[in-house]
Amino acid sequence: EDSRVSKHFHLMKQLSHGRRSFIDENFRAPVSFAHILRQVIMEHPHYLGYKMPTNEYRDLVRFVENFINAFHGFRVLVFTPYPFPLFQMTRAVLFFWVYTLPMVLLKDY
């Protein structure tokens, strides 16, 4: 049964360590996937049966790199806290707008 499982799966199983939260585990998956993709791209003669030209697998590795850069940008966006003063001022302006809008609309009648 082990012959049907990729060696990359066993490698990833060895790299897992410790307990993680659900968020940590979800944000770890794309990085692990990119690591496996890079390994498969660099070992392409084994999987394809021939050696690709250098510029082709360089472009594939660059696509994986662009994916990781976009993912890290997303992660920064998700984990950046919303500044409380901005939240507080937004709530005050919204409160003022909601309660003064009916007065402006009544003036039209």
Side-chain angles (χ1 to χ4, degrees), residues 45-56:
H46 172 71
Y47 296 103
L48 295 177
Y50 66 92
K51 185 161 173 52
M52 285 191 307
T54 305
N55 62 336
E56 289 182 14

Side-chain angles (χ1 to χ4, degrees), residues 20-63:
R20 292 183 188 89
S21 70
F22 188 68
I23 292 175
D24 289 340
E25 197 62 39
N26 285 336
F27 278 100
R28 182 177 178 264
V31 176
S32 301
F33 181 64
H35 177 71
I36 291 173
L37 276 177
R38 285 187 188 120
Q39 281 186 328
V40 169
I41 291 168
M42 298 312 286
E43 296 173 0
H44 69 275
H46 172 71
Y47 296 103
L48 295 177
Y50 66 92
K51 185 161 173 52
M52 285 191 307
T54 305
N55 62 336
E56 289 182 14
Y57 72 83
R58 180 198 63 213
D59 290 342
L60 291 174
V61 171
R62 189 174 298 145
F63 292 145

Side-chain angles (χ1 to χ4, degrees), residues 87-101:
F87 171 74
Q88 197 173 19
M89 286 304 298
T90 304
R91 186 172 39 180
V93 168
L94 185 63
F95 180 78
F96 178 75
W97 182 76
V98 164
Y99 286 106
T100 57
L101 183 64

